[in-house]
Amino acid sequence: MDCLFCKIAAKEIPAKIVHEDEELVAFEDISPQAPVHILVIPRQHISRLNDLQPEHDELVGKIIRLAKKLAKERDIDQAGYRVVMNCNEQAGQSVFHIHLHLLGGRAMQWPPG
Ligand code: AMP
Ligand code: ZN
């Protein structure tokens, strides 16, 4: 499949991988928007949040709990951090393989732009 994040998960395209297991891969965002900016993806190709099904519930839980673990490892868990999943163009989704952004290390604005 011609998908950038599938290729990163398969190590066909290099990335700074910070975690990998049977189901998930986490890597540094190539264009970081905060001192900590990590993307967490499932190895399974799911194009967008709209495609999630009940069978994905456990996987989604694991994605969020990995973000929590990485936040602690990067020592941003107490100060605070943000997780973002963009769905489709108007939200700014540019890679159509679901991914969670873990952002931290600076104060965040609300509402997001
Ligand atoms: P989104 O706009 O929510 O779809 O997020 C896609 C993210 O992927 C952006 O933050 C990009 O900076 C990031 N990105 C794009 N290409 C790469 C790459 N080759 N390695 C790491 N991150 C990437
Ligand atoms: Zn993919």
Side-chain angles (χ1 to χ4, degrees):
M1 180 170 314
D2 192 22
C3 167
L4 175 63
F5 286 177
C6 282
K7 287 179 180 165
I8 286 177
K11 297 193 175 156
E12 290 167 14
I13 289 178
K16 289 186 193 161
I17 292 176
V18 299
H19 172 95
E20 58 181 325
D21 59 44
E22 272 184 18
E23 290 174 288
L24 305 180
V25 180
F27 51 95
E28 305 279 355
D29 195 292
I30 203 166
S31 175
Q33 302 302 309
V36 176
H37 188 172
I38 295 170
L39 301 176
V40 180
I41 65 168
R43 289 190 186 276
Q44 182 182 354
H45 181 86
I46 302 167
S47 296
R48 67 200 88 223
L49 288 184
N50 289 346
D51 298 324
L52 286 177
Q53 303 298 329
E55 72 213 46
H56 298 125
D57 285 359
E58 195 177 332
L59 185 63
V60 172
K62 287 179 180 175
I63 290 171
I64 293 172
R65 285 205 312 104
L66 177 56
K68 181 201 81 162
K69 182 169 176 273
L70 293 169
K72 186 168 170 59
E73 281 178 20
R74 295 299 176 98
D75 202 24
I76 56 172
D77 58 319
Q78 295 306 311
Y81 57 92
R82 183 169 291 174
V83 297
V84 175
M85 295 181 85
N86 297 319
C87 181
N88 278 346
E89 282 82 357
Q90 207 165 87
Q93 185 176 7
S94 60
V95 179
F96 287 84
H97 177 131
I98 60 165
H99 50 280
L100 176 148
H101 296 256
L102 169 64
L103 295 149
R106 65 167 172 81
M108 300 287 159
Q109 305 293 312
W110 192 263

